Every structure is written in C-alpha cells, then in structure tokens.
Amino acid sequence: MSDDVRRIARGLKRYAEGLRAIEVRRVPRHRQASPPLPRAPAGGAKRDALAALVKQVEACQACSLYRTRTHAVVSDGDPDAKLVFIGEAPGRDEDLQGKPFVGAAGQLLTKMIEAMGFARQGVYICNVLKDRPPGNRLPEPDEIEACLPFLEQQLAIVQPKVICLLGSVAAKAILGPHVAITKVRGQVWDYHGTPVVPTFHPAYLLRNPPAKKFAWVDLKKVKQLLEDRG
Ligand code: URA
C-alpha cells in the first residue's frame, strides 16, 4: 500500500469515528450542489450574498407560486447564526408579512427557541419553499425541486454549525423523499458536513401537544451538538 492510500484510509477511519461519536446514522447522497454563489466568510459579505439571493427569489418564475403570492418569504434572523431552522413553506401570515414563522406555528417556534436559551433573532429561520402554496396545501414535488437551490444557497452562505429540520417536508427535502419524520426525528444526519436534526413541525405540535415532549428531546440534542461544536 502506498503512503497516499494509507493516508486516505486513515482519514476515512477518522471521519467514520467522528460520525459515530456524534451518532450520525447514515450519510445520505445529496443532489447536485446548488448553483454556486461565492462562499461568504464574513457577516457583511453574507448579508450582501443573501440580499442578492432575495432578488433572485423575487424574480423567480420556476413554478407557478409566484403568481399567487403577496410576498416571497426568504428568511428571518441572523445570517451569522450557528443554528438554522428550516420549515415547510410560508402560510397566510407569512405571505402577508414577508417573514417566515410569524403566525401561530411561528409563535410556538419562537417559544421553542427561547426554551433552548436562544433569542429568535440569534438564529436563522427559513423554509423549503419561498412562496405560499395557495390554501396552505402541501408543496408539490416540482415546487420543492424548483425552490431547493435557493435553500441550498442559503445554507452555503450562512454555514451554520447545526441545522434543525421542522417537519416532514423539510426532512424529505434535505434527507431524501424516503424518510418518515416519525422515524428520523431526533437522529443526527449529515448535510455536507453539518449535523442535521429533524424534529416535529410546530404546526403539528399545536395539533398534537403530547408530541411536544419528543420535540423537546430533539431540541436538547440540537443544543448539545451546538455546544460540542463550540
Ligand atoms: N409553517 C412553515 O413551515 N413555515 C412558515 O414560515 C410558517 C408556517
């Protein structure tokens, strides 16, 4: 065995040990990387890159949702955040205000963030879809496909330490269409080297309050991962 092969084998072993240490179950194959945006290391540059992304979203006609929206809804919070929450799609309140998670589910999400010891404005919040599906219907697969490059760009710009997926649509969009939120919630997955924890969507928790205790376990895991990653 050459020195190069030995070095690569040692690297892979360390990588596998690292994954085991943070309880990563499986490294999914990801789709093609999103259209390249310059990686933005500093806060100001991140803001500029995100402002450019907002313009792209506002101009996007890749699916029909732009026809019925009031506002495109891109994000809320801190572009330098260590923690990103990803929801499903804007609802009525979000469409009217142009901000994610401002309705009833958003109020619960804010409480969940505060219960973790953070401020809502200290994390970064976004959705899989940037435009509201009429009548709050579930996003169609082609809408998710069309919008996903924007989310991938957001994650490449913000570069959080941990990602928390809220609900089934976000879990399937990031981890793969085969996953079931009831099975994968609370597990640590991988997104291009960043740990990802799926949990229940706050709207589901409003309908099923007994599930809040499971979400809390998941959020504690998110917090632990953040602490572990400094
Ligand atoms: N539900 C979501 O998934 N996202 C929002 O922004 C609001 C409600």
Side-chain angles (χ1 to χ4, degrees), residues 1-215:
M1 213 183 340
S2 76
D3 282 354
D4 278 353
V5 173
R6 253 187 235 107
R7 197 165 36 75
I8 292 166
R10 274 200 305 274
L12 285 173
K13 187 161 174 264
R14 268 201 306 277
Y15 178 65
E17 285 165 359
L19 291 178
R20 265 199 302 277
I22 60 168
E23 294 174 36
V24 171
R25 312 281 159 123
R26 175 177 163 272
V27 182
R29 285 182 59 225
H30 288 289
R31 320 158 178 256
Q32 195 71 24
S34 51
L37 251 199
R39 289 218 156 197
K46 282 188 182 184
R47 280 177 175 76
D48 291 349
L50 286 169
L53 182 73
V54 170
K55 289 212 162 62
Q56 287 179 40
V57 171
E58 286 171 348
C60 179
Q61 301 188 351
C63 75
S64 62
L65 295 181
Y66 76 94
R67 294 203 185 100
T68 47
R69 74 176 179 215
T70 313
H71 291 105
V73 177
V74 178
S75 67
D76 191 25
D78 184 358
D80 286 318
K82 294 189 166 65
L83 174 58
V84 166
F85 287 93
I86 304 175
E88 177 178 316
R92 185 171 164 277
D93 296 312
E94 291 77 20
D95 175 65
L96 291 174
Q97 294 186 41
K99 255 193 197 185
F101 283 100
V102 290
Q107 282 163 26
L108 177 57
L109 177 61
T110 303
K111 282 193 194 147
M112 289 158 65
I113 293 166
E114 288 171 354
M116 293 171 79
F118 305 128
R120 178 180 163 118
Q121 286 310 313
V123 303
Y124 185 85
I125 302 172
C126 55
N127 282 308
V128 174
L129 290 196
K130 309 308 183 213
D131 291 343
R132 179 193 184 204
N136 294 356
R137 64 160 169 73
L138 277 176
E140 297 288 350
D142 62 318
E143 293 162 353
I144 294 175
E145 197 69 35
C147 224
L148 207 52
F150 292 128
L151 178 60
E152 290 170 337
Q153 287 187 58
Q154 285 176 292
L155 295 173
I157 295 167
V158 175
Q159 294 183 33
K161 297 239 189 264
V162 181
I163 297 168
C164 181
L165 304 175
L166 300 169
S168 172
V169 169
K172 286 179 191 291
I174 293 291
L175 305 179
H178 55 282
V179 304
I181 188 67
T182 46
K183 293 252 159 53
V184 300
R185 58 144 281 271
Q187 296 176 359
V188 184
W189 292 63
D190 170 84
Y191 177 83
H192 299 290
T194 303
V196 177
V197 180
T199 191
F200 291 129
H201 192 287
Y204 172 79
L205 297 175
L206 288 173
R207 295 192 303 273
N208 297 278
K212 285 184 184 172
K213 58 181 173 297
F214 301 114

